[in-house]
Amino acid sequence: MKTNVVEAFSGEMESHVKSEAELRVLEETYCSHGDTVHYTAKPKFFEECEGSYVYDKAGTPFLDLQMWYSAVNFGYRNERLNAAAHRQLDRLPQVASQYLHREKVELAAMIAQDAESKFGHKGRVHFNVGGSQAVEDSLKLVRNYTGGKSLMFAFEGGYHGRTLGASAITSSYRYRRRYGHFGDRAQFVEFPYHFRGPKGMSKEEYGHHCVQKFARLFESEYNGVWDPKAGKSEYAAFYIEPIQGTGGYVIPPMNFFVELKKVLDDHGILLVVDEIQMGVYRTGKLWSIEHFGVSPDALVFGKAITNGLNPLSGVWAREEMINPEIFPPGSTHSTFASNPMGTAVALETMKMLEEEDFGAAIMAKGAYFLDGLKQLQKRHAIVGEVDGLGLALRMEICKDDSYTPDKATMDWLCDEGMKGDIQVGSKMYGLVLDVGGYHKNVITFAPNLLITREEIDLAIALLDQLLTRAARR
């Protein structure tokens, strides 16, 4: 009898499953278009995912080279991290944030102890649920510590989120235009984007040049940011992405941040590092700032810390900025901050990263992938530049002169990859790409960090076919 009831219920549910056409009508009518889905005319529906692939209803595998904007660094349905989520779901999935649970405490300790060993400063961790929210928390920390200073430096091409505070330090006016005046908008400083920088300079010379332009702001009170008589700056902190994310995975010269940090230290300005997209081994280290030889005053993280399973983000800050005397209980709050599902998966992620030499494997895979991209650059004139650090890689799509940005072709490549009709061997594939860059003409590659060499070869073969199609269209 029980089986018949179950079968009847399943059959009833089956009969109520809506077709894709019906779902599109509902989505068009009832879903907000204010998110990023409708950047394309007919967004793709996906049904399943596994490893480096997402699958449509027909079962066509789409090799994903952006992995939810670098949120799923360890592959879709990662067995170990999924198991951690299931264990927590069965034991303590919910608890109010006014109480403690072991996962929060152990995770905060792991992150803080790791930061102390690398950066030389004791600190603490404050959790939240999304990248923008963690940026907001860091702004509170900075404003509070600096006596209420509300002005920040940030980079041209930088992206820190779309809440009001995060939009104020994000360089794109597009994210602010509809929402009135932003009195605390950051002052945006040139980032050493060497491919589009002054000709005749090496990458390191251009990095030095950019630092000197910034340092000039402190030469005189009339440059508008510094009072030499008081030895005080009007600006509280400089927000940086060590490698620009939405800006197009632009990788600076290795001398740049060391020189920049000296200017900041000389003028009492904090360094806040945004690791939301590049953190958790995207570049072969836990935090991408580790490549550049400087210690931050605060560090913001999110995305891949839970492999996309449950929202969790946070900010690590030096003890002087975040100790209970200066940042007391209730200074900031979110209902779901430090939620047990998120902290449990993040804790398992951190434990997993300690057990293997992820860094060496990622650097080797990144070098192999970058070599494949360089071969494509030689064969296709529309590839202007390729670059990468670890498995954060970029390919700039240009006109046939290999320099002029070509957004139209970039958009076409993304749409073409989503057709799912690229044949390699006897199998049909799709290709998931992401668009970035100052001119929206850059493919930003953030593949599964567990990607195999065979999958990298497949990625190069699929890209080769797409680039060939683009040249013939």
Side-chain angles (χ1 to χ4, degrees):
M1 182 66 181
K2 184 178 178 181
T3 303
N4 291 338
V5 170
V6 171
E7 288 176 352
F9 179 75
S10 299
E12 185 179 345
M13 290 296 292
E14 188 83 18
S15 67
H16 284 84
V17 172
K18 290 179 171 51
S19 69
E20 186 174 302
E22 290 173 317
L23 289 171
R24 289 194 183 278
V25 171
L26 292 174
E27 195 273 342
E28 179 68 25
T29 306
Y30 296 112
C31 291
S32 164
H33 289 198
D35 54 23
T36 58
V37 172
H38 287 273
Y39 282 169
T40 57
K42 196 175 181 181
K44 184 79 177 176
F45 273 96
F46 285 112
E47 295 285 334
E48 296 183 28
C49 60
E50 184 78 31
S52 295
Y53 299 91
V54 285
Y55 298 85
D56 63 12
K57 191 173 183 179
T60 304
F62 286 70
L63 179 62
D64 193 339
L65 297 182
Q66 60 102 3
M67 298 303 288
W68 201 354
Y69 324 119
S70 194
V72 190
N73 281 9
F74 307 102
Y76 290 113
R77 293 169 63 188
N78 181 287
E79 186 174 343
R80 176 169 177 173
L81 300 180
N82 280 18
H86 284 291
R87 286 196 304 273
Q88 194 67 26
L89 187 63
D90 290 337
R91 188 178 67 80
L92 182 72
Q94 301 116 335
V95 68
S97 54
Q98 73 201 73
Y99 306 113
L100 287 172
H101 56 281
R102 68 170 58 251
E103 293 79 13
K104 170 190 174 177
V105 176
E106 291 185 13
L107 177 62
M110 284 190 78
I111 293 170
Q113 289 167 3
D114 177 82
E116 186 172 358
S117 70
K118 291 171 178 173
F119 304 138
H121 300 292
K122 181 191 181 301
R124 298 171 187 254
V125 175
H126 183 94
F127 292 111
N128 211 312
V129 292
S132 293
Q133 290 80 4
V135 168
E136 297 282 345
D137 287 344
S138 74
L139 286 166
K140 283 189 173 182
L141 280 163
V142 166
R143 286 184 176 211
N144 181 59
Y145 181 68
T146 59
K149 288 184 182 179
S150 61
L151 296 180
M152 312 292 159
F153 290 111
F155 280 122
E156 295 174 1
Y159 178 85
H160 301 286
R162 300 190 204 187
T163 53
L164 288 175
S167 293
I169 59 172
T170 292
S171 65
S172 177
Y173 173 51
R174 179 167 67 90
Y175 301 134
R176 293 187 299 276
R177 182 177 63 82
R178 295 177 177 84
Y179 309 115
H181 179 61
F182 283 67
D184 296 326
R185 195 195 78 167
Q187 178 161 332
F188 298 107
V189 174
E190 182 178 357
F191 191 84
Y193 179 7
H194 185 246
F195 181 62
R196 300 205 173 276
K199 301 307 172 189
M201 286 186 183
S202 70
K203 196 168 184 177
E204 289 69 27
E205 287 170 339
Y206 183 35
H208 178 72
H209 170 74
C210 288
V211 172
Q212 291 307 301
K213 284 178 67 176
F214 175 64
R216 181 179 173 274
L217 296 176
F218 302 91
E219 288 180 354
S220 162
E221 66 183 272
Y222 297 105
N223 294 104
V225 305
W226 178 248
D227 180 352
K229 292 183 178 179
K232 299 287 185 181
S233 174
E234 191 174 10
Y235 286 72
F238 202 136
Y239 274 74
I240 71 166
E241 295 168 284
I243 295 172
Q244 295 200 318
T246 301
Y249 285 25
V250 181
I251 299 168
M254 289 296 170
N255 63 316
F256 177 67
F257 284 117
V258 170
E259 295 185 22
L260 180 71
K261 184 66 161 57
K262 185 177 187 310
V263 177
L264 299 180
D265 288 346
D266 287 347
H267 299 94
I269 297 167
L270 301 171
L271 178 67
V272 182
V273 175
D274 182 337
E275 292 280 359
I276 294 164
Q277 187 161 168
M278 290 297 157
V280 198
Y281 277 93
R282 172 54 52 198
T283 66
K285 293 184 181 291
L286 181 61
W287 311 122
S288 63
I289 193 64
E290 295 175 48
H291 291 281
F292 299 101
V294 297
S295 296
D297 296 292
L299 183 150
V300 182
F301 60 88
K303 285 188 186 291
I305 195 77
T306 65
N307 203 42
L309 286 177
N310 205 82
L312 188 80
S313 64
V315 53
W316 169 89
R318 290 191 292 110
E319 180 74 5
E320 302 94 298
M321 297 174 65
I322 200 172
N323 71 72
E325 284 69 41
I326 193 169
F327 204 66
S331 294
T332 186
H333 172 71
S334 171
T335 298
F336 296 100
S338 67
N339 66 86
M341 290 296 295
T343 51
V345 177
L347 182 60
E348 191 68 23
T349 299
M350 292 293 290
K351 289 177 179 178
M352 180 178 73
L353 294 172
E354 284 190 339
E355 294 171 3
E356 300 178 38
D357 191 352
F358 270 88
I362 289 163
M363 296 305 288
K365 290 176 186 178
Y368 185 73
F369 204 141
L370 183 58
D371 183 66
L373 296 179
K374 287 178 178 177
Q375 298 306 312
L376 293 178
Q377 183 183 23
K378 291 176 182 178
R379 295 200 292 272
H380 299 279
I382 65 172
V383 178
E385 189 203 36
V386 298
D387 200 1
L389 183 61
L391 281 168
L393 303 146
R394 75 190 309 268
M395 173 182 281
E396 189 143 346
I397 302 301
C398 302
K399 301 287 188 183
D400 286 342
D401 62 4
S402 301
Y403 184 76
T404 304
D406 191 348
K407 179 182 182 300
T409 297
M410 178 71 251
D411 291 341
W412 183 90
L413 287 167
C414 287
D415 290 342
E416 193 73 6
M418 296 305 289
K419 289 181 178 178
D421 66 348
I422 313 171
Q423 185 170 344
V424 174
S426 60
K427 200 165 185 178
M428 303 298 285
Y429 293 91
L431 188 62
V432 179
L433 302 174
D434 199 28
V435 181
Y438 290 43
H439 306 281
K440 301 301 178 190
N441 71 312
V442 178
I443 304 174
T444 52
F445 298 103
N448 175 10
L449 298 183
L450 304 179
I451 192 171
T452 65
R453 288 209 168 198
E454 291 75 19
E455 288 172 335
I456 294 173
D457 291 340
L458 174 62
I460 297 301
L462 295 170
L463 286 164
D464 194 17
Q465 289 199 43
L466 280 184
L467 293 167
T468 300
R469 290 186 189 183
R472 292 173 179 170
R473 71 187 177 104

